[in-house]
Amino acid sequence: MIGIASAILATVTLGSAQDTPLLSGGVGFFSSTNGGNTSYLPIIEPLIAAPIGPHLLVESRATLLESFSPNGGGQPGYDHSHFIALTYLQGDFVVSPHLTVVAGDYLIPFNTYNDRLSPIWISNFQDGPLISPLGIFSIGQGLGGMLRGNTIRRDKYSLDYAYFYSTRTSNEQFEADRSSGGRASLYLPDQRLEVGFSYDRLLQGVRENFYGAHAWWEPKDTAFRLRSEFSRGRHAQGYWVEADYRTQAFGGLNSWVGRIEPLFRMQQTFRRDNLVSDGLPSANTQRADFGLDYNLPHNTRILTSYSRQFSATANTNIWETGLVYRFLFPAWKGKL
């Protein structure tokens, strides 16, 4: 992820433990009860960020998971499956503060969830938003090149951009569609407000355009966060709005009360036609997610949530729990 990459390169530039790779990621165990059926999902998402000199970074993230779900057809017991895959593998060359050249297998920068919120140690909810497949072609990855950076940075505002071009490949580990697009974001530091616009185009098969917009707000001197996205494709569109809060009134964020984090997310999807090829629900859907997370010491989080989903196909209750641990350490001891 570029945010991690920038932080690592900044550290390397300062000269501490230069060129020492960092191993990071998350380990989690999740359960989900949907319509009375409970599934279990142990998962590991390791990430490596390896700086090579002051300007080049190689980074990669993978997913290793096991899935245990009830047998269908009224059969007793559980079915078991496993999944191992690279999430991305890319090289970042920092040309200047205004330009980073990315090459390889990268996360498509459409809106914010795919490349900024999807890691298990960052997400507030176990499930991603219903509209998350839009604009990332259901795969989420591109294979090719990307340009990103900061075009303007002032005391009152800054403007960031990301532009990518992806080729088509059916390789099992590097699957991607021929596509192009990008994202532009405006950040106002005094208001701690970010707004952005995304556009992607599928360049194979039936050419399709995807449009997106996002807004993040984190007021100063509070632990309140508001995030939202809107996405529109040829066959469907939708939005989500998420808010979370931690109080500082009872001894700060590290007190036992300050570690409690109530959450709420509202989301809706709307079909524009009856062609269901985009990964969204087959009928108009409304879903309200209520969560209560607890931030334990040592980068460990307990995630709990209840969701009520309304749709013409079915109304369902979804109960989810999870335990996530974030790890971060150098691959070996660096030279000072």
Side-chain angles (χ1 to χ4, degrees), residues 16-248:
S16 170
Q18 187 171 8
D19 295 345
T20 301
L22 290 184
L23 299 177
S24 181
V27 179
F29 183 85
F30 300 108
S31 70
S32 176
T33 302
N34 188 336
N37 296 316
T38 301
S39 300
Y40 301 95
L41 189 76
I43 181 172
I44 303 175
E45 287 190 352
L47 182 151
I48 184 170
I52 304 173
H55 296 286
L56 180 61
L57 180 79
V58 177
E59 55 176 322
S60 180
R61 194 173 93 216
T63 300
L64 301 87
L65 63 84
E66 299 283 335
S67 176
F68 300 87
S69 56
N71 289 319
Q75 297 296 318
Y78 278 76
D79 183 33
H80 168 253
S81 63
H82 64 272
F83 176 80
I84 300 176
L86 284 174
T87 305
Y88 68 87
L89 172 61
Q90 66 186 54
D92 310 325
F93 185 76
V94 180
V95 179
S96 73
H98 301 290
L99 174 63
T100 297
V101 179
V102 179
D105 181 46
Y106 50 81
L107 296 175
I108 293 175
F110 184 87
N111 279 340
T112 57
Y113 182 80
N114 188 48
D115 64 334
R116 291 167 62 176
L117 297 176
S118 59
I120 61 171
W121 63 90
I122 294 178
S123 299
N124 286 328
F125 289 96
Q126 182 183 148
D127 287 346
L130 295 173
I131 64 168
S132 58
L134 284 180
I136 61 172
F137 317 115
S138 299
I139 301 171
Q141 300 163 245
L143 184 66
M146 176 165 50
L147 304 177
R148 63 191 310 159
N150 187 283
T151 55
I152 301 174
R153 176 169 293 178
R154 301 287 187 269
D155 293 338
K156 296 295 184 180
Y157 67 94
S158 64
L159 183 64
D160 295 333
Y161 69 92
Y163 169 78
F164 76 92
Y165 176 83
S166 172
T167 188
R168 181 180 185 179
T169 174
S170 58
N171 182 279
E172 182 178 358
Q173 290 295 336
F174 302 103
E175 185 178 0
D177 291 329
R178 184 176 296 111
S179 56
S180 179
R183 178 181 66 209
S185 302
L186 172 68
Y187 179 63
L188 306 175
D190 290 342
Q191 293 78 20
R192 295 176 61 87
L193 174 67
E194 177 186 336
V195 293
F197 175 77
S198 301
Y199 169 77
D200 287 352
R201 180 168 174 79
L202 185 63
L203 302 176
Q204 66 182 56
V206 178
R207 271 56 171 176
E208 296 183 39
N209 297 314
F210 297 88
Y211 306 89
H214 73 271
W216 287 22
W217 182 45
E218 301 180 8
K220 282 186 177 181
D221 303 320
T222 71
F224 173 80
R225 294 182 300 184
L226 182 68
R227 297 165 173 167
S228 63
E229 288 186 356
F230 168 81
S231 298
R232 178 184 176 92
R234 182 171 183 173
H235 307 297
Q237 63 185 20
Y239 73 89
W240 61 267
V241 180
E242 177 181 314
D244 63 271
Y245 176 72
R246 293 173 62 185
T247 181
Q248 305 180 63

Side-chain angles (χ1 to χ4, degrees), residues 6 234 243 324:
S6 300
R234 182 171 183 173
V324 178

